[in-house]
Amino acid sequence: MTKKPFKAESKKLLEMMINSIYTQKEIFLRELISNASDAIDKLYYKTLTDDKLVFNKDDFYIKVSPDKTNRILTISDTGIGMTKEELENNLGVIAQSGSLAFKMENELQDGHNIIGQFGVGFYSAFMVADEVAVITKALGSDEAFKWESKGADGYTIEPYEKDEVGTDIILKIKDNTEDEQYDEYLDEYRLKAIIKKYSDFIRYPIKMEITGQRPKEDSDNEFEEYAEEQTINSMVPIWRKNKNELTDEDYANFYAEKHYGFDKPIKHIHISADGAVSYHAILFIPENTPFDYYTKEYEKGLELYSNGVLIMDKCAELLPDFFSFVKGMVDSDDLSLNISREMLQHDRQLHLIAKNIKNKIKSQLQSLLKNDREQYEKFFQSFSRQLKYGVYSDYGANKEVLQDLLLFYSSKEKKLVTLDEYVSRMPEDQKYIYYAAGESIDRIEKLPQTEIVSDKGYEILYFTDDIDEFAIKMIMNYQEKEFKSVSSGDLGIEADNDETATNEEDSHKELFDYMKDILKDKVKSVKASKRLKTHPVCLSTEGELTIEMEKILKAMPNSQDVKADKVLEINIHHEVFQSLKDAYEKDKEKLNLYTNLLYNQALLIEGLPINDPVEFTNDICKVMV
Ligand code: ADP
Ligand code: MG
């Protein structure tokens, strides 16, 4: 019989996995039992929706049978089975998804991370077995097949004899090595413990023959061994259990079992609602951003169960986009089994559940923020962009839900603060919530525009994310305080020498108008600055669009030519200003040179490109000679 090779990506994946992805080999059993349970689910679902199929409750079970003598461990199920084609497609290649293959090619070095984000369920058998055989008969089929493989070099499929529909997974357990006692996976008590730990909530009985000892009849001191079939798991799904009975570890195991992620969730939310709509849900806030989270490929959604039967893998309607990072499941008795995707969108019960869930997630995040700031910041690091995007999209429809979940770096506190914390610290005379936008905290700290606000003793929020300023424009005001960029025209700060500044401005009007003519429509006006203290020059803006926003909009694909209305501000108390005045009186060519230099300097400070760098450097040389 010819051996078929695994598809290329399977082979690499298999090797990598065998060598290290899972640190705990014992989870192979969790994976195989979970597949068995899925297979029974599929059959069970069919019996509920097809009257011609008659099954008994007792017909559904999983059996784990160790054979120590021959080093064989068998996991059997009475599930839906696989046809020959399904064997080929499901076990011959791990993930047909092009994106996995692509990622693997490119990031093989970093393989752990990538693979960590996919389930590689069935293949984990090779962590403990040299040889794996799958004997299976599909529902409605007369033939059965045997799939066999010794690992990375390929597999064979041949016709086989099997009476009942279902699947047997037969593992030839590896020999012990110096580091690894594979024998333990043949030991009843060890197997029992692994099943209890990871698969207790599986809805179908997981049976095993357990050997016990009992006194021999007619004897006081002689014992005999006997075997008895036991059901190892409690079969109560974890989400239907009482929260008080469950430990953090139980939830963490459930998260891993379900492949929601390979990280440790930051928080779990267990809901048992019994009101207008009754449902159970277990939700998780992951710790890490999935690698594809901010791409089109990422699919949000929760698993949806109806009365304990899985009806949908990723029900998107259950999660708002701004909470798309949440993983988990919902089980409700109020939903129909036969519900289709189209029907779901109009299902009133489902909408109620979704609304409920949204509120719950919000309140749980808020309590995390309040009670465990460190964990919250970890979460925020991973998913803040999504929250801010949520504030911005739909014309700010969700800002009320989200604004109190935002954090920004504070100039004063030197750490992340909430808007509420900011406002509660505002001195009475402070009118606005000030912010400064820029590439990094370092760069913002050096912006001349922050000087007067800081000197006044006011706190400034630093915006380093592209989306920050856009999100804030959507919020508009928080607790009746308006947001104000430190670069905006009117800062609402009364300078101590305001009076004189205005007078002086008037007296220099001619000079400033002249400079404006030199710069043409590069700026809207040139004026005496009320905000600069030590720096000679800066740019500010009039109107809604700030310079940071201009930069971001310009960087977007098919951007339009948007421009912030810029004002060149001159510090008239700086020595440079004297030179400007002198030049205005005596040497217009020099004034021309100075004006262009100052304008370009202001651009550089803002992190904007200057139009003609060669001309700029030549201009500097002209000043030097
Ligand atoms: P996943 O469970 O995430 O789909 P696995 O590698 O665990 O990935 O399994 C691959 C596929 O093989 C399953 O989706 C299923 O179609 C099939 N399969 C595995 N085990 C069984 C089984 N015991 N009975 C029927 N089908 C199975
Ligand atoms: Mg699986």
Side-chain angles (χ1 to χ4, degrees):
M1 192 181 352
T2 50
K3 197 173 267 180
K4 292 198 184 178
F6 285 108
K7 297 261 170 75
E9 60 267 38
S10 314
K11 199 168 164 185
K12 279 182 208 153
L13 195 49
L14 200 50
E15 274 159 7
M16 259 189 289
M17 192 203 57
I18 294 170
N19 295 325
S20 67
I21 291 166
Y22 290 120
T23 44
Q24 290 163 299
K25 297 201 177 345
E26 67 187 25
I27 62 91
F28 81 92
L29 192 56
R30 173 189 85 189
E31 296 301 326
L32 297 180
I33 288 176
S34 141
N35 285 349
S37 167
D38 289 350
I40 303 177
D41 264 346
K42 285 177 198 160
L43 181 59
Y44 181 62
Y45 183 84
K46 282 222 151 104
T47 65
L48 291 177
T49 49
D50 182 347
D51 297 340
K52 279 180 240 87
L53 291 171
V54 186
F55 277 84
N56 233 318
K57 202 164 163 283
D58 301 341
D59 295 333
F60 304 120
Y61 64 89
I62 297 161
K63 185 156 182 186
V64 176
S65 323
D67 170 354
K68 262 194 170 140
T69 331
N70 298 307
R71 299 188 75 78
I72 299 277
L73 179 65
T74 307
I75 294 102
S76 311
D77 67 65
T78 58
I80 197 159
M82 281 177 275
T83 62
K84 189 172 182 218
E85 287 67 39
E86 283 165 342
L87 273 175
E88 294 256 5
N89 292 334
N90 299 339
L91 305 185
V93 61
I94 292 179
Q96 280 101 339
S97 111
S99 83
L100 176 64
F102 173 80
K103 282 270 167 195
M104 298 259 312
E105 290 300 321
N106 289 286
E107 296 182 54
L108 213 51
Q109 309 315 79
D110 195 24
H112 289 212
N113 249 332
I114 297 306
I115 295 155
Q117 317 235 11
F118 290 84
V120 279
F122 170 76
Y123 293 81
S124 63
F126 287 103
M127 291 194 298
V128 300
D130 303 311
E131 252 183 272
V132 178
V134 178
I135 297 169
T136 185
K137 185 176 184 183
L139 177 71
S141 161
D142 314 326
E143 350 164 70
F145 293 93
K146 181 180 187 187
W147 177 102
E148 231 172 342
S149 169
K150 287 188 177 166
D153 59 338
Y155 62 91
T156 58
I157 297 180
E158 58 179 330
Y160 209 75
E161 280 299 311
K162 189 179 190 309
D163 294 335
E164 308 292 334
V165 169
T167 304
D168 302 331
I169 311 282
I170 301 164
L171 310 182
K172 175 101 182 56
I173 298 295
K174 289 180 183 175
D175 286 330
N176 289 343
T177 64
E178 264 174 40
D179 314 319
E180 209 61 62
Q181 294 289 310
Y182 291 101
D183 278 359
E184 61 180 289
Y185 304 117
L186 293 161
D187 180 82
E188 279 174 16
Y189 290 92
R190 179 74 174 105
L191 290 168
K192 196 173 160 180
I194 301 175
I195 294 169
K196 265 280 177 208
K197 180 171 173 191
Y198 296 107
S199 311
D200 192 55
F201 65 88
I202 293 286
R203 303 191 316 129
Y204 308 102
I206 303 169
K207 297 182 183 177
M208 217 171 118
E209 299 257 317
I210 300 289
T211 5
Q213 285 202 329
R214 63 187 165 201
K216 261 189 166 170
E217 259 174 72
D218 309 324
S219 162
D220 291 339
N221 48 11
E222 279 185 280
F223 289 82
E224 62 177 1
E225 289 202 334
Y226 73 102
E228 180 193 51
E229 196 176 72
Q230 288 182 6
T231 294
I232 311 296
N233 54 328
S234 75
M235 289 192 279
V236 181
I238 179 171
W239 57 89
R240 287 188 187 251
K241 281 194 182 163
N242 198 323
K243 277 176 240 185
N244 308 332
E245 293 168 34
L246 297 164
T247 63
D248 286 350
E249 207 197 347
D250 291 328
Y251 290 106
N253 281 337
F254 182 65
Y255 183 81
E257 205 279 336
K258 285 290 194 175
H259 295 307
Y260 291 144
F262 275 59
D263 53 349
K264 257 211 158 76
I266 282 197
K267 192 171 176 58
H268 63 257
I269 305 170
H270 190 162
I271 313 173
S272 290
D274 213 358
V277 60
S278 75
Y279 70 94
H280 299 272
I282 297 187
L283 312 174
F284 293 96
I285 313 285
E287 176 183 16
N288 298 334
T289 335
F291 77 89
D292 60 348
Y293 187 60
Y294 290 112
T295 69
K296 282 201 298 289
E297 272 86 62
Y298 183 82
E299 259 183 87
K300 67 165 184 177
L302 299 174
E303 283 181 312
L304 184 60
Y305 289 74
S306 161
N307 206 350
V309 183
L310 183 69
I311 53 174
M312 204 173 288
D313 270 340
K314 279 193 175 158
C315 179
E317 286 78 10
L318 284 167
L319 283 179
D321 277 343
F322 49 86
F323 290 151
S324 61
F325 45 81
V326 172
K327 303 279 183 189
M329 52 75 52
V330 171
D331 185 3
S332 173
D333 298 350
D334 297 345
L335 293 168
S336 149
L337 257 184
N338 286 313
I339 203 159
S340 70
R341 268 201 189 273
E342 294 69 44
M343 280 154 73
L344 270 183
Q345 295 187 346
H346 306 291
D347 193 280
R348 216 177 59 85
Q349 304 289 347
L350 195 87
H351 279 295
L352 270 179
I353 298 176
K355 197 171 150 209
N356 237 298
I357 282 178
K358 178 184 81 180
N359 293 337
K360 196 78 183 177
I361 298 170
K362 187 205 160 169
S363 68
Q364 290 294 309
L365 283 174
Q366 247 165 347
S367 89
L368 187 67
L369 172 63
K370 197 162 145 232
N371 303 319
D372 191 347
R373 189 69 166 239
E374 204 179 310
Q375 282 292 83
Y376 187 83
E377 285 186 18
K378 233 196 237 175
F379 151 75
F380 194 72
Q381 179 125 29
S382 298
F383 301 109
S384 62
R385 278 184 65 85
Q386 191 64 16
L387 296 182
K388 293 169 189 168
Y389 190 72
V391 169
Y392 174 70
S393 48
D394 294 332
Y395 303 100
N398 299 300
K399 62 185 181 185
E400 298 294 333
V401 186
L402 299 172
Q403 60 189 7
D404 284 315
L405 296 174
L406 301 183
L407 298 175
F408 298 102
Y409 185 88
S410 149
S411 62
K412 268 192 157 174
E413 300 291 308
K414 306 282 178 215
K415 61 173 191 196
L416 295 170
V417 301
T418 63
L419 295 175
D420 184 57
E421 285 159 358
Y422 180 102
V423 170
S424 68
R425 277 194 290 267
M426 277 170 73
E428 210 153 305
D429 65 340
Q430 183 181 339
K431 279 196 238 153
Y432 300 114
I433 301 174
Y434 293 103
Y435 69 84
E439 217 164 89
S440 65
I441 290 169
D442 262 8
R443 276 196 87 144
I444 298 176
E445 221 135 48
K446 293 189 182 115
L447 281 178
Q449 290 92 326
T450 60
E451 252 185 338
I452 189 166
V453 184
S454 300
D455 279 5
K456 200 66 188 159
Y458 297 159
E459 190 172 354
I460 303 173
L461 298 175
Y462 289 180
F463 289 179
T464 48
D465 245 350
D466 283 3
I467 185 85
D468 286 341
E469 218 175 346
F470 293 90
I472 283 303
K473 294 266 167 193
M474 232 11 127
I475 296 180
M476 275 183 319
N477 47 55
Y478 180 83
Q479 293 182 15
E480 289 163 26
K481 304 283 181 196
E482 228 180 283
F483 289 90
K484 197 68 138 176
S485 162
V486 296
S487 315
S488 68
D490 171 29
L491 279 176
I493 294 178
E494 302 291 320
D496 303 336
N497 50 1
D498 206 24
E499 200 74 6
T500 42
T502 324
N503 286 342
E504 277 178 277
E505 193 177 352
D506 283 346
S507 65
H508 306 306
K509 194 173 178 322
E510 265 177 53
L511 165 60
F512 289 146
D513 285 348
Y514 196 89
M515 288 172 77
K516 151 76 187 148
D517 286 342
I518 295 171
L519 294 172
K520 306 212 179 67
D521 41 359
K522 286 183 212 145
V523 296
K524 262 213 118 178
S525 65
V526 178
K527 67 180 195 190
S529 179
K530 293 181 196 168
R531 81 186 85 217
L532 291 173
K533 297 224 152 164
T534 56
H535 295 270
V537 61
C538 76
L539 284 174
S540 64
T541 47
E542 278 172 8
E544 278 302 289
L545 201 63
T546 66
I547 289 172
E548 279 308 306
M549 292 167 87
E550 174 189 311
K551 272 195 249 174
I552 292 156
L553 291 173
K554 274 208 175 127
M556 295 205 314
N558 34 17
S559 66
Q560 271 134 33
D561 194 26
V562 287
K563 266 206 161 52
D565 287 336
K566 304 185 190 70
V567 176
L568 185 68
E569 297 198 5
I570 307 285
N571 181 352
I572 56 175
H573 304 293
H574 196 279
E575 292 147 312
V576 157
F577 185 63
Q578 194 54 45
S579 310
L580 283 173
K581 277 201 297 197
D582 291 349
Y584 180 59
E585 261 145 47
K586 298 184 206 123
D587 187 346
K588 291 280 165 28
E589 204 162 310
K590 213 170 216 170
L591 182 65
N592 207 40
L593 176 69
Y594 289 174
T595 303
N596 277 314
L597 269 174
L598 285 172
Y599 170 72
N600 281 326
Q601 281 180 33
L603 287 178
L604 285 174
I605 292 170
E606 288 297 331
L608 287 169
I610 48 183
N611 203 15
D612 187 345
V614 177
E615 191 183 17
F616 177 62
T617 45
N618 286 342
D619 282 354
I620 293 177
C621 291
K622 278 188 210 153
V623 180
M624 291 164 79
V625 293

